[in-house]
Amino acid sequence: MRNTAKLTTAVLAAGALTLGLTACGSGKDSASLDADGPLVVAASPTPHAEILNFVKDKLAKKAGLDLEVKEFTDYITPNTATEDGSVGANYFQNQPYLDDFNKKRGTHIVPVVTVHLEPLGLYSHKVEKADALKSGATVAVPNDAVNEARALKLLAEGGLITLKDGVGNEATPRDITKNPKDLKFKEVEAAQTPRSLDDVDAAVVNGNYAISAGLKPAEDALVLESPKNNPYGNFLAVKEGNEKDPRVKKLAKLLTSPEVKKFIEDKYQGSVIPSF
């Protein structure tokens, strides 16, 4: 039986606070310091928890790793839980997102090893090609700064808009210099972008949420992010100072093993791409 715990954000936040207070009271500020206990890893359900559970079920025991997976459905709690020690590591994010998170929230999360890329995609229930979007069409984009910029860059790569030179990971709709279809943008929480597809003309959806919603990025996306020179690989991360935890090092090795590469390739058929 898997130890994966599916919890709501509210419960997770409460649990994180409780564990954090307990840790402070006991003089321990990190779950990672308990080297004799299991390594608890926070992860998005798809594909991160699925990959971790493959490691747990197929590889961990032989490697002498006691692994526990906790699923989180948001992009905030995994980092705050890692920071306060409620979990020992997390696996759900990319470098631009982490840099922005650490800067804005004063956290000290660092990457350990990059595992995979989930190509961002543009999807629609109303048109079959991007150039079929009508003038004035509404496109839903993630409302966090990094993923919104990533979404706008995807639309630019697809020829739908033009952005100012050099805006990079800080792009916003204000940086659009050409918008020939007069697209309108609706900012929604990243996790809600698949659900918005019935209410908008198209939506830019993160790979993990697309897969969870039954979309197949490699087949269904009108525009799909290229893996070439892509900075958005997802990695295992820990609180700074815990990189050398023996359990973390074991997990990092297993996550970049040939067995995991084959699992990703076989299961996701190009919708998730190994980055090692």
Side-chain angles (χ1 to χ4, degrees), residues 1 46 60 72 101 148 201 211 216 255:
M1 181 177 179
T46 306
F72 290 67
F101 192 97
E148 181 176 55
D201 297 290
I211 297 168
K216 297 180 179 179
L255 281 171

mmCIF file of all heavy atoms in Angstrom, residues 1 46 60 72 101 148 201 211 216 255:
data_model
loop_
_atom_site.group_PDB
_atom_site.id
_atom_site.type_symbol
_atom_site.label_atom_id
_atom_site.label_comp_id
_atom_site.label_asym_id
_atom_site.label_seq_id
_atom_site.Cartn_x
_atom_site.Cartn_y
_atom_site.Cartn_z
ATOM 1 N N MET A 1 0.850 -1.201 0.000
ATOM 2 C CA MET A 1 0.000 0.000 0.000
ATOM 3 C C MET A 1 0.871 1.231 0.000
ATOM 4 O O MET A 1 1.818 1.331 0.768
ATOM 5 C CB MET A 1 -0.891 0.014 1.245
ATOM 6 C CG MET A 1 -1.825 1.225 1.322
ATOM 7 S SD MET A 1 -2.895 1.115 2.764
ATOM 8 C CE MET A 1 -3.798 2.634 2.597
ATOM 9 N N THR A 46 0.707 14.776 -10.451
ATOM 10 C CA THR A 46 1.108 14.278 -11.765
ATOM 11 C C THR A 46 2.077 15.256 -12.422
ATOM 12 O O THR A 46 1.781 16.450 -12.486
ATOM 13 C CB THR A 46 -0.116 14.125 -12.686
ATOM 14 O OG1 THR A 46 -1.094 13.310 -12.042
ATOM 15 C CG2 THR A 46 0.260 13.509 -14.022
ATOM 16 N N ALA A 60 13.507 1.978 -4.300
ATOM 17 C CA ALA A 60 13.972 2.522 -3.027
ATOM 18 C C ALA A 60 14.459 1.466 -2.042
ATOM 19 O O ALA A 60 15.497 1.636 -1.388
ATOM 20 C CB ALA A 60 12.870 3.372 -2.387
ATOM 21 N N PHE A 72 0.653 17.496 -3.015
ATOM 22 C CA PHE A 72 0.162 18.854 -2.822
ATOM 23 C C PHE A 72 -0.416 19.334 -4.147
ATOM 24 O O PHE A 72 0.163 19.097 -5.200
ATOM 25 C CB PHE A 72 1.295 19.794 -2.403
ATOM 26 C CG PHE A 72 1.833 19.563 -1.021
ATOM 27 C CD1 PHE A 72 2.527 18.400 -0.700
ATOM 28 C CD2 PHE A 72 1.655 20.511 -0.032
ATOM 29 C CE1 PHE A 72 3.037 18.195 0.569
ATOM 30 C CE2 PHE A 72 2.155 20.320 1.248
ATOM 31 C CZ PHE A 72 2.847 19.156 1.556
ATOM 32 N N PHE A 101 10.200 32.636 -6.067
ATOM 33 C CA PHE A 101 9.612 32.280 -4.776
ATOM 34 C C PHE A 101 10.557 32.651 -3.630
ATOM 35 O O PHE A 101 10.146 33.281 -2.652
ATOM 36 C CB PHE A 101 9.307 30.782 -4.743
ATOM 37 C CG PHE A 101 8.446 30.360 -3.585
ATOM 38 C CD1 PHE A 101 7.074 30.199 -3.751
ATOM 39 C CD2 PHE A 101 8.996 30.108 -2.332
ATOM 40 C CE1 PHE A 101 6.269 29.803 -2.682
ATOM 41 C CE2 PHE A 101 8.204 29.719 -1.263
ATOM 42 C CZ PHE A 101 6.824 29.569 -1.438
ATOM 43 N N GLU A 148 3.146 33.041 -15.932
ATOM 44 C CA GLU A 148 2.523 33.955 -16.882
ATOM 45 C C GLU A 148 3.537 34.379 -17.940
ATOM 46 O O GLU A 148 3.229 34.398 -19.133
ATOM 47 C CB GLU A 148 1.968 35.187 -16.183
ATOM 48 C CG GLU A 148 1.288 36.145 -17.158
ATOM 49 C CD GLU A 148 0.640 37.328 -16.482
ATOM 50 O OE1 GLU A 148 1.338 38.039 -15.728
ATOM 51 O OE2 GLU A 148 -0.566 37.557 -16.701
ATOM 52 N N ASP A 201 -11.527 30.982 -24.898
ATOM 53 C CA ASP A 201 -11.274 30.427 -26.229
ATOM 54 C C ASP A 201 -10.073 29.497 -26.250
ATOM 55 O O ASP A 201 -10.003 28.574 -27.070
ATOM 56 C CB ASP A 201 -11.067 31.579 -27.216
ATOM 57 C CG ASP A 201 -12.321 32.438 -27.333
ATOM 58 O OD1 ASP A 201 -13.313 31.951 -27.893
ATOM 59 O OD2 ASP A 201 -12.295 33.588 -26.842
ATOM 60 N N ILE A 211 -1.905 16.976 -17.934
ATOM 61 C CA ILE A 211 -1.986 15.513 -17.839
ATOM 62 C C ILE A 211 -3.054 15.096 -16.836
ATOM 63 O O ILE A 211 -3.838 14.180 -17.085
ATOM 64 C CB ILE A 211 -0.614 14.928 -17.451
ATOM 65 C CG1 ILE A 211 0.411 15.224 -18.549
ATOM 66 C CG2 ILE A 211 -0.715 13.425 -17.220
ATOM 67 C CD1 ILE A 211 1.840 14.947 -18.144
ATOM 68 N N LYS A 216 -3.371 15.390 -23.495
ATOM 69 C CA LYS A 216 -2.111 14.787 -23.910
ATOM 70 C C LYS A 216 -1.286 15.860 -24.618
ATOM 71 O O LYS A 216 -1.521 16.140 -25.803
ATOM 72 C CB LYS A 216 -2.360 13.598 -24.833
ATOM 73 C CG LYS A 216 -3.124 12.462 -24.174
ATOM 74 C CD LYS A 216 -3.348 11.307 -25.146
ATOM 75 C CE LYS A 216 -4.097 10.163 -24.480
ATOM 76 N NZ LYS A 216 -4.337 9.044 -25.422
ATOM 77 N N LEU A 255 16.335 9.052 -9.020
ATOM 78 C CA LEU A 255 15.493 9.836 -9.923
ATOM 79 C C LEU A 255 16.144 10.054 -11.292
ATOM 80 O O LEU A 255 15.454 10.378 -12.258
ATOM 81 C CB LEU A 255 15.160 11.197 -9.294
ATOM 82 C CG LEU A 255 14.061 11.193 -8.236
ATOM 83 C CD1 LEU A 255 13.978 12.545 -7.545
ATOM 84 C CD2 LEU A 255 12.711 10.815 -8.841
#
